[in-house]
Amino acid sequence: MDDRLFRDAMGKFATGITVLLTENDGVPHGMTANGFMSVSLDPKLVVISIGHKAKFLEKVKQSKKFSVNILSEDQEHYSRHFAGQLGEDVQFDQLSGLPVLKDTIAQIACEVVSEHVEGDHTLFIGKVIDLHLEDKNPLLFFGGKYRQLAELAIV
């Protein structure tokens, strides 16, 4: 199967956008990702997927912790910054000792409980230790483009 065809097919699934963060020796590190989902309610677990070429992979392996920051519709600049497309000065907040981004829809602090190598990615299962929520609309990604949520008119 052609790689491009597979990527195009996966792009037909609309996703939210997250920035994953961790900290090593007091220095925050991050990457933009849409490979994130909840796994379990009891215990509260999430999974993130990190490609083996990403520098962030080793940072999480070392720290054994990460935060998931779900971006709002006005935070495309964070997505581009942590994807290496923009350079900007980012100010971090803290949640349970982990760096988080200000004003995101959700900040989720996690401790790694297991990791699984699957294909060219490593899946990290994280136990949720803290979270913070805001009431905002999400930034979405579909078909290789940023999108925003729109309400449908009820007829």
Side-chain angles (χ1 to χ4, degrees):
M1 178 184 314
D2 177 64
D3 287 352
R4 181 76 254 165
L5 179 64
F6 181 77
R7 287 179 64 98
D8 289 348
M10 296 303 100
K12 298 298 182 190
F13 184 68
T15 63
I17 302 175
T18 71
V19 170
L20 307 175
L21 296 170
T22 194
E23 190 173 87
N24 302 96
D25 300 320
V27 178
H29 303 277
M31 69 172 275
T32 300
N34 65 355
F36 159 75
M37 67 178 226
S38 64
V39 173
S40 169
L41 187 57
D42 186 19
K44 291 166 184 56
L45 301 174
V46 298
V47 64
I48 59 172
S49 178
I50 303 174
H52 292 161
K53 294 179 182 177
K55 296 174 188 174
F56 189 74
L57 179 65
E58 286 306 313
K59 303 299 184 186
V60 174
K61 284 185 174 193
Q62 292 169 10
S63 71
K64 301 291 186 200
K65 56 188 178 180
F66 60 89
S67 71
V68 179
N69 300 266
I70 301 174
L71 301 184
S72 65
E73 65 186 1
D74 62 344
Q75 295 177 321
E76 183 181 327
H77 62 282
Y78 280 150
S79 176
R80 292 188 182 279
H81 173 79
F82 288 98
Q85 299 170 358
L86 288 178
E88 68 177 271
D89 184 33
V90 176
Q91 300 298 313
F92 298 97
D93 279 342
Q94 290 280 314
L95 181 67
S96 292
L98 280 163
V100 291
L101 296 174
K102 295 179 179 197
D103 302 320
T104 56
I105 291 177
Q107 302 165 336
I108 307 166
C110 302
E111 295 174 343
V112 174
V113 293
S114 64
E115 53 184 271
H116 307 273
V117 174
E118 298 297 337
D120 60 2
H121 278 63
T122 296
L123 306 177
F124 289 95
I125 307 295
K127 179 181 177 183
V128 176
I129 57 173
D130 202 355
L131 56 83
H132 176 79
L133 302 175
E134 295 286 337
D135 188 20
K136 297 179 166 187
N137 286 329
L139 179 63
L140 301 177
F141 201 70
F142 175 79
K145 296 178 183 174
Y146 292 99
R147 310 288 178 126
Q148 292 183 349
L149 197 61
E151 290 186 36
L152 297 175
I154 298 175
V155 180

mmCIF file of all heavy atoms in Angstrom, residues 5-6 10 24 29-30 35 45 53 62 84-85 90-91 97 99 110-111 114-115 122 130 141 144 148 152-153:
data_model
loop_
_atom_site.group_PDB
_atom_site.id
_atom_site.type_symbol
_atom_site.label_atom_id
_atom_site.label_comp_id
_atom_site.label_asym_id
_atom_site.label_seq_id
_atom_site.Cartn_x
_atom_site.Cartn_y
_atom_site.Cartn_z
ATOM 1 N N LEU A 5 -1.241 7.301 0.229
ATOM 2 C CA LEU A 5 -2.643 6.900 0.290
ATOM 3 C C LEU A 5 -3.054 6.639 1.740
ATOM 4 O O LEU A 5 -4.127 7.071 2.179
ATOM 5 C CB LEU A 5 -2.887 5.656 -0.564
ATOM 6 C CG LEU A 5 -4.314 5.106 -0.571
ATOM 7 C CD1 LEU A 5 -5.289 6.115 -1.178
ATOM 8 C CD2 LEU A 5 -4.354 3.791 -1.338
ATOM 9 N N PHE A 6 -2.193 5.958 2.490
ATOM 10 C CA PHE A 6 -2.474 5.688 3.903
ATOM 11 C C PHE A 6 -2.579 6.984 4.693
ATOM 12 O O PHE A 6 -3.515 7.176 5.470
ATOM 13 C CB PHE A 6 -1.386 4.774 4.497
ATOM 14 C CG PHE A 6 -1.627 4.438 5.942
ATOM 15 C CD1 PHE A 6 -2.582 3.491 6.301
ATOM 16 C CD2 PHE A 6 -0.901 5.057 6.945
ATOM 17 C CE1 PHE A 6 -2.811 3.178 7.638
ATOM 18 C CE2 PHE A 6 -1.122 4.762 8.281
ATOM 19 C CZ PHE A 6 -2.083 3.816 8.626
ATOM 20 N N MET A 10 -5.886 8.462 6.712
ATOM 21 C CA MET A 10 -5.863 8.821 8.127
ATOM 22 C C MET A 10 -6.247 10.289 8.333
ATOM 23 O O MET A 10 -6.827 10.658 9.347
ATOM 24 C CB MET A 10 -4.494 8.544 8.748
ATOM 25 C CG MET A 10 -4.097 7.060 8.775
ATOM 26 S SD MET A 10 -5.267 5.984 9.631
ATOM 27 C CE MET A 10 -6.183 5.265 8.265
ATOM 28 N N ASN A 24 13.044 18.091 31.524
ATOM 29 C CA ASN A 24 14.272 17.407 31.889
ATOM 30 C C ASN A 24 15.241 18.440 32.449
ATOM 31 O O ASN A 24 15.525 19.438 31.773
ATOM 32 C CB ASN A 24 14.909 16.704 30.681
ATOM 33 C CG ASN A 24 13.972 15.705 30.037
ATOM 34 O OD1 ASN A 24 13.307 16.042 29.064
ATOM 35 N ND2 ASN A 24 13.896 14.506 30.560
ATOM 36 N N HIS A 29 10.324 20.660 27.252
ATOM 37 C CA HIS A 29 10.433 20.166 25.874
ATOM 38 C C HIS A 29 9.031 19.809 25.410
ATOM 39 O O HIS A 29 8.226 19.313 26.205
ATOM 40 C CB HIS A 29 11.321 18.924 25.798
ATOM 41 C CG HIS A 29 12.691 19.137 26.329
ATOM 42 N ND1 HIS A 29 13.693 19.704 25.580
ATOM 43 C CD2 HIS A 29 13.221 18.879 27.550
ATOM 44 C CE1 HIS A 29 14.797 19.775 26.317
ATOM 45 N NE2 HIS A 29 14.536 19.291 27.521
ATOM 46 N N GLY A 30 8.742 20.039 24.120
ATOM 47 C CA GLY A 30 7.403 19.742 23.647
ATOM 48 C C GLY A 30 7.338 19.393 22.184
ATOM 49 O O GLY A 30 8.303 19.570 21.438
ATOM 50 N N GLY A 35 -1.847 12.195 18.074
ATOM 51 C CA GLY A 35 -1.904 10.806 18.516
ATOM 52 C C GLY A 35 -2.124 10.743 20.017
ATOM 53 O O GLY A 35 -1.191 10.525 20.781
ATOM 54 N N LEU A 45 -6.489 6.613 32.633
ATOM 55 C CA LEU A 45 -5.321 6.426 31.777
ATOM 56 C C LEU A 45 -5.552 7.064 30.410
ATOM 57 O O LEU A 45 -6.674 7.057 29.893
ATOM 58 C CB LEU A 45 -5.029 4.940 31.560
ATOM 59 C CG LEU A 45 -4.761 4.086 32.784
ATOM 60 C CD1 LEU A 45 -4.644 2.612 32.394
ATOM 61 C CD2 LEU A 45 -3.492 4.542 33.502
ATOM 62 N N LYS A 53 11.468 9.051 15.255
ATOM 63 C CA LYS A 53 12.377 10.103 14.799
ATOM 64 C C LYS A 53 12.251 11.381 15.628
ATOM 65 O O LYS A 53 13.080 12.276 15.504
ATOM 66 C CB LYS A 53 12.121 10.415 13.326
ATOM 67 C CG LYS A 53 12.463 9.269 12.391
ATOM 68 C CD LYS A 53 12.169 9.625 10.947
ATOM 69 C CE LYS A 53 12.478 8.445 10.029
ATOM 70 N NZ LYS A 53 12.124 8.747 8.637
ATOM 71 N N GLN A 62 13.170 9.590 29.485
ATOM 72 C CA GLN A 62 14.000 10.001 30.630
ATOM 73 C C GLN A 62 13.156 10.499 31.798
ATOM 74 O O GLN A 62 13.402 10.145 32.944
ATOM 75 C CB GLN A 62 14.986 11.090 30.207
ATOM 76 C CG GLN A 62 16.061 10.623 29.262
ATOM 77 C CD GLN A 62 16.853 11.782 28.664
ATOM 78 O OE1 GLN A 62 16.735 12.924 29.084
ATOM 79 N NE2 GLN A 62 17.656 11.473 27.657
ATOM 80 N N GLY A 84 7.734 23.003 14.969
ATOM 81 C CA GLY A 84 8.953 23.545 14.370
ATOM 82 C C GLY A 84 8.708 24.508 13.225
ATOM 83 O O GLY A 84 9.618 24.819 12.473
ATOM 84 N N GLN A 85 7.478 25.000 13.075
ATOM 85 C CA GLN A 85 7.153 25.896 11.970
ATOM 86 C C GLN A 85 7.246 27.367 12.339
ATOM 87 O O GLN A 85 7.327 28.213 11.462
ATOM 88 C CB GLN A 85 5.745 25.593 11.449
ATOM 89 C CG GLN A 85 5.604 24.183 10.910
ATOM 90 C CD GLN A 85 4.155 23.827 10.628
ATOM 91 O OE1 GLN A 85 3.244 24.610 10.866
ATOM 92 N NE2 GLN A 85 3.943 22.634 10.119
ATOM 93 N N VAL A 90 7.580 31.147 24.431
ATOM 94 C CA VAL A 90 6.426 30.510 25.061
ATOM 95 C C VAL A 90 6.580 30.589 26.569
ATOM 96 O O VAL A 90 7.632 30.250 27.115
ATOM 97 C CB VAL A 90 6.303 29.035 24.617
ATOM 98 C CG1 VAL A 90 5.168 28.342 25.354
ATOM 99 C CG2 VAL A 90 6.115 28.947 23.110
ATOM 100 N N GLN A 91 5.518 31.037 27.222
ATOM 101 C CA GLN A 91 5.476 31.081 28.679
ATOM 102 C C GLN A 91 4.706 29.850 29.166
ATOM 103 O O GLN A 91 3.632 29.547 28.651
ATOM 104 C CB GLN A 91 4.770 32.355 29.151
ATOM 105 C CG GLN A 91 5.454 33.633 28.689
ATOM 106 C CD GLN A 91 6.860 33.765 29.241
ATOM 107 O OE1 GLN A 91 7.088 33.565 30.425
ATOM 108 N NE2 GLN A 91 7.808 34.085 28.383
ATOM 109 N N GLY A 97 3.770 19.936 38.934
ATOM 110 C CA GLY A 97 5.203 19.882 38.645
ATOM 111 C C GLY A 97 5.564 19.698 37.188
ATOM 112 O O GLY A 97 6.732 19.538 36.859
ATOM 113 N N PRO A 99 5.302 21.192 33.081
ATOM 114 C CA PRO A 99 4.983 22.383 32.290
ATOM 115 C C PRO A 99 3.688 22.166 31.518
ATOM 116 O O PRO A 99 3.427 21.068 31.012
ATOM 117 C CB PRO A 99 6.177 22.514 31.341
ATOM 118 C CG PRO A 99 6.739 21.141 31.234
ATOM 119 C CD PRO A 99 6.463 20.471 32.542
ATOM 120 N N CYS A 110 0.429 13.687 33.576
ATOM 121 C CA CYS A 110 0.468 12.225 33.597
ATOM 122 C C CYS A 110 1.837 11.692 34.014
ATOM 123 O O CYS A 110 2.868 12.299 33.723
ATOM 124 C CB CYS A 110 0.173 11.665 32.205
ATOM 125 S SG CYS A 110 -1.403 12.167 31.514
ATOM 126 N N GLU A 111 1.800 10.516 34.636
ATOM 127 C CA GLU A 111 3.004 9.736 34.905
ATOM 128 C C GLU A 111 2.964 8.518 33.996
ATOM 129 O O GLU A 111 1.922 7.854 33.884
ATOM 130 C CB GLU A 111 3.029 9.273 36.360
ATOM 131 C CG GLU A 111 3.137 10.399 37.361
ATOM 132 C CD GLU A 111 3.023 9.912 38.806
ATOM 133 O OE1 GLU A 111 2.555 8.771 39.034
ATOM 134 O OE2 GLU A 111 3.386 10.691 39.699
ATOM 135 N N SER A 114 3.433 2.667 31.419
ATOM 136 C CA SER A 114 3.970 1.639 30.516
ATOM 137 C C SER A 114 4.255 2.257 29.160
ATOM 138 O O SER A 114 3.730 3.316 28.817
ATOM 139 C CB SER A 114 3.016 0.447 30.376
ATOM 140 O OG SER A 114 1.809 0.826 29.779
ATOM 141 N N GLU A 115 5.118 1.583 28.410
ATOM 142 C CA GLU A 115 5.401 2.005 27.035
ATOM 143 C C GLU A 115 5.431 0.778 26.146
ATOM 144 O O GLU A 115 5.832 -0.305 26.575
ATOM 145 C CB GLU A 115 6.678 2.825 26.938
ATOM 146 C CG GLU A 115 7.925 2.227 27.525
ATOM 147 C CD GLU A 115 9.112 3.181 27.458
ATOM 148 O OE1 GLU A 115 9.822 3.138 26.432
ATOM 149 O OE2 GLU A 115 9.319 3.926 28.414
ATOM 150 N N THR A 122 6.303 4.797 19.510
ATOM 151 C CA THR A 122 6.191 4.261 20.859
ATOM 152 C C THR A 122 4.933 4.844 21.485
ATOM 153 O O THR A 122 4.694 6.054 21.404
ATOM 154 C CB THR A 122 7.428 4.619 21.723
ATOM 155 O OG1 THR A 122 8.582 3.988 21.146
ATOM 156 C CG2 THR A 122 7.254 4.147 23.161
ATOM 157 N N ASP A 130 -3.423 14.808 37.485
ATOM 158 C CA ASP A 130 -4.082 16.096 37.703
ATOM 159 C C ASP A 130 -4.585 16.608 36.360
ATOM 160 O O ASP A 130 -4.080 16.215 35.301
ATOM 161 C CB ASP A 130 -3.099 17.105 38.301
ATOM 162 C CG ASP A 130 -3.779 18.250 39.047
ATOM 163 O OD1 ASP A 130 -5.032 18.321 39.035
ATOM 164 O OD2 ASP A 130 -3.064 19.081 39.628
ATOM 165 N N PHE A 141 -7.998 19.434 13.202
ATOM 166 C CA PHE A 141 -7.165 19.153 12.043
ATOM 167 C C PHE A 141 -7.888 18.122 11.201
ATOM 168 O O PHE A 141 -8.318 17.073 11.697
ATOM 169 C CB PHE A 141 -5.798 18.628 12.491
ATOM 170 C CG PHE A 141 -4.726 18.791 11.459
ATOM 171 C CD1 PHE A 141 -4.244 20.052 11.127
ATOM 172 C CD2 PHE A 141 -4.184 17.697 10.823
ATOM 173 C CE1 PHE A 141 -3.233 20.220 10.178
ATOM 174 C CE2 PHE A 141 -3.184 17.845 9.876
ATOM 175 C CZ PHE A 141 -2.710 19.098 9.557
ATOM 176 N N GLY A 144 -5.307 17.632 6.354
ATOM 177 C CA GLY A 144 -4.059 18.384 6.271
ATOM 178 C C GLY A 144 -4.196 19.873 6.541
ATOM 179 O O GLY A 144 -3.268 20.637 6.276
ATOM 180 N N GLN A 148 -11.984 24.795 12.380
ATOM 181 C CA GLN A 148 -12.674 25.187 13.610
ATOM 182 C C GLN A 148 -14.036 24.549 13.634
ATOM 183 O O GLN A 148 -14.629 24.234 12.602
ATOM 184 C CB GLN A 148 -12.799 26.718 13.687
ATOM 185 C CG GLN A 148 -11.469 27.410 13.865
ATOM 186 C CD GLN A 148 -11.611 28.909 14.018
ATOM 187 O OE1 GLN A 148 -12.666 29.469 13.806
ATOM 188 N NE2 GLN A 148 -10.519 29.551 14.360
ATOM 189 N N LEU A 152 -24.180 23.300 13.813
ATOM 190 C CA LEU A 152 -25.136 23.125 12.735
ATOM 191 C C LEU A 152 -26.471 23.742 13.152
ATOM 192 O O LEU A 152 -26.898 23.583 14.289
ATOM 193 C CB LEU A 152 -25.326 21.646 12.410
ATOM 194 C CG LEU A 152 -24.097 20.901 11.884
ATOM 195 C CD1 LEU A 152 -24.405 19.429 11.715
ATOM 196 C CD2 LEU A 152 -23.632 21.509 10.576
ATOM 197 N N ALA A 153 -27.095 24.415 12.230
ATOM 198 C CA ALA A 153 -28.410 24.984 12.504
ATOM 199 C C ALA A 153 -29.446 23.869 12.535
ATOM 200 O O ALA A 153 -29.465 22.997 11.659
ATOM 201 C CB ALA A 153 -28.781 26.010 11.437
#
